Amino acid sequence: MHSLYYLGIVLFTGIVMGKVISYIKLPKVTGYLIGGILIGPSLMGLVPAADASKLNIISEAALGFIAYSIGSSLNFKNLRKVGKGIITITLFEALTAVAMVNFAMIFVFGQPVAFSILIGSIAAATAPAATIMVIRQYKAKGPLVDTLLPVVAIDDAVAVIAFGLSVTVAKVLMDSNSIISITTLFLPFGEILIALIIGVIIGLVLCLIGRDLRNEDQLMNITLAIIFFTIGLAMYFNVSPLLTCMALGGTISNLSTNNTKLLSVVDRFTPPVFIVFFTLSGIELDLSVLGSVGLIGIGYVVFRILGKVSGAYIGCKLAGCPEVVQKYLGLTLIPQAGVAIGLAMVVETAVPEYGGTIRTIILAATVIYELIGPLITKIAIYKAGEAQSEKSISSKASTI
């Protein structure tokens, strides 16, 4: 069948399951993921994996839009209100997760040090997409959300650096003839720098183009073209499209005189893109891997959560954040998906001895995190008192 046939099935399934799941008070993104699992190869097989992969360009676009939105939270004026503690919080929540998984793998499960630091470094990565969708659905606002958005923006940069250093050290541990070179150590920093430079330069161009534009249709068309161009350029230079689009959004947020419209105008285009993205994510979740990860996989899931929650709490405590942020920030950082899977695939190439095992564990963990993560994020923002009630949202929508 034609790809548009499967695209129709994916979009319709996401819409229906998002509506169904909302009746039992779960986030719509959970419904999209469950819908994808239902129609995917793991269960009904309505959308074969090969045909789902042909729609991956939509997923790439969706991640670009999400990163662009996250980048808009990196406004220096707003960051000054939150405080310099954002860096402290991010380092603690990311690196404590790494340390906890490293400790568990080495001392609890008796795994080789090289294997342990490789899988431990992936623990730092957080999937912002599901979290952002929950925040949008419940119109969440307040200190917790204000802290969360810049943290998830910086988190992936920390994860990429930690992973790059860990791969280098793991190779040395596995080969006594290897030597750690300064060039190899600084390679992750170089990739991040290139991504930021690309994002900033293209952001400056969009600032100039959008300065005098007031027509929203023209603004939307130009902004979409710029985001697509940015994603493609990042892939050409083999750097993270997520970081590049974050830099693009951050540049617009800080330097554009027309930033409000440039940042919000894409919201008219993105709802169906996000539905397709998360439903496709569900299709790609292979339930069969759950039975093959064993105690080590369970240990990775549990100790990463403990690391994220405890690290965020310590970081927030040191940064002097409000108590509500200290208590609930870690719970919003549980989801893990695209970046972690990407890093696991890099391990398969860089360290094939452990690549297969690590990829299986990360894929299984992704299934668990993506299903429970949105629900836990919803609970956290409600406990923090920052989510609007669903009745309030519905009543506002009906008056528009």
Side-chain angles (χ1 to χ4, degrees):
M1 300 295 286
H2 196 277
S3 293
L4 288 176
Y5 168 81
Y6 292 115
L7 179 60
I9 292 177
V10 169
L11 185 55
F12 182 74
T13 301
I15 292 169
V16 171
M17 287 304 298
K19 188 71 174 175
V20 169
I21 211 77
S22 64
Y23 285 125
I24 54 175
K25 309 300 182 185
L26 290 175
K28 287 182 179 180
V29 65
T30 302
Y32 305 151
L33 290 164
I34 292 174
I37 292 172
L38 287 174
I39 64 174
S42 294
L43 293 177
M44 298 169 66
L46 294 179
V47 181
D51 292 286
S53 66
K54 294 176 183 177
L55 302 174
N56 277 345
I57 190 171
I58 299 175
S59 298
E60 292 166 359
L63 283 172
F65 291 130
I66 290 165
Y68 182 70
S69 176
I70 294 171
S72 69
S73 67
L74 297 175
N75 183 282
F76 294 139
K77 290 181 181 177
N78 295 335
L79 287 177
R80 276 197 291 268
K81 294 177 184 176
V82 178
K84 297 178 181 178
I86 288 296
I87 301 297
T88 301
I89 296 167
T90 307
L91 289 174
F92 270 91
E93 61 85 9
L95 298 183
T96 303
V98 172
M100 289 283 266
V101 173
N102 285 347
F103 175 84
M105 292 298 148
I106 296 171
F107 298 105
V108 178
F109 299 103
Q111 296 301 305
V113 175
F115 171 88
S116 301
I117 64 174
L118 283 170
I119 194 168
S121 66
I122 298 175
T126 299
T131 302
I132 298 302
M133 285 296 288
V134 174
I135 290 171
R136 285 188 172 192
Q137 180 182 344
Y138 298 104
K139 312 291 185 186
K141 292 180 181 179
L144 176 61
V145 172
D146 290 342
T147 306
L148 169 63
L149 291 175
V151 166
V152 296
I154 303 169
D155 178 272
D156 280 334
V158 175
V160 169
I161 293 171
F163 177 78
L165 297 176
S166 296
V167 168
T168 301
V169 174
K171 285 182 176 179
V172 171
L173 290 173
M174 295 172 67
D175 183 0
S176 57
N177 295 321
S178 295
I179 300 174
I180 299 179
S181 69
I182 298 298
T183 304
T184 307
L185 284 175
F186 277 93
L187 188 60
F189 294 95
E191 292 178 356
I192 290 170
L193 182 61
I194 292 170
L196 296 178
I197 290 172
I198 293 172
V200 170
I201 290 173
I202 298 175
L204 291 172
V205 172
L206 183 54
C207 286
L208 292 172
I209 295 173
R211 182 174 52 189
D212 300 318
L213 281 177
R214 293 294 178 264
N215 183 289
E216 289 201 0
D217 287 339
Q218 288 184 335
L219 275 174
M220 183 180 72
N221 293 337
I222 289 171
T223 306
L224 291 178
I226 289 287
I227 293 173
F228 292 149
F229 178 77
T230 304
I231 296 168
L233 204 58
M235 290 181 169
Y236 177 78
F237 284 104
N238 200 29
V239 297
S240 169
L242 207 63
L243 292 177
T244 310
C245 288
M246 283 179 190
L248 172 63
T251 303
I252 299 300
S253 178
N254 285 282
L255 299 179
S256 174
T257 55
N258 198 19
N259 59 3
T260 302
K261 285 190 174 181
L262 281 172
L263 293 169
S264 63
V265 73
V266 294
D267 293 342
R268 292 163 49 191
F269 178 83
T270 53
V273 176
F274 289 155
I275 293 174
V276 171
F277 168 64
F278 285 105
T279 308
L280 282 173
S281 297
I283 290 172
E284 292 169 357
L285 293 179
D286 184 1
L287 298 183
S288 65
V289 301
L290 289 175
S292 61
V293 296
L295 284 176
I296 296 176
I298 295 170
Y300 172 81
V301 171
V302 172
F303 280 92
R304 178 181 172 273
I305 291 174
L306 290 174
K308 285 286 181 182
V309 172
S310 60
Y313 178 81
I314 295 168
C316 288
K317 197 82 172 175
L318 292 173
C321 294
E323 186 176 347
V324 71
V325 180
Q326 296 177 28
K327 288 174 66 176
Y328 298 115
L329 180 65
L331 296 176
T332 66
L333 298 170
I334 289 174
Q336 187 178 52
V339 174
I341 293 172
L343 296 179
M345 292 173 71
V346 172
V347 172
E348 280 193 291
T349 304
V351 191
E353 295 90 337
Y354 297 133
T357 304
I358 288 176
R359 184 173 184 270
T360 301
I361 291 172
I362 297 302
L363 286 173
T366 295
V367 176
I368 298 168
Y369 287 137
E370 287 296 273
L371 290 176
I372 69 170
L375 175 59
I376 294 174
T377 299
K378 176 192 172 181
I379 293 170
I381 60 176
Y382 266 94
K383 289 282 187 181
E386 298 188 10
Q388 294 185 34
S389 68
E390 294 182 45
K391 287 183 179 179
S392 172
I393 296 170
S394 299
S395 63
K396 285 183 180 180
S398 64
T399 59
I400 295 175

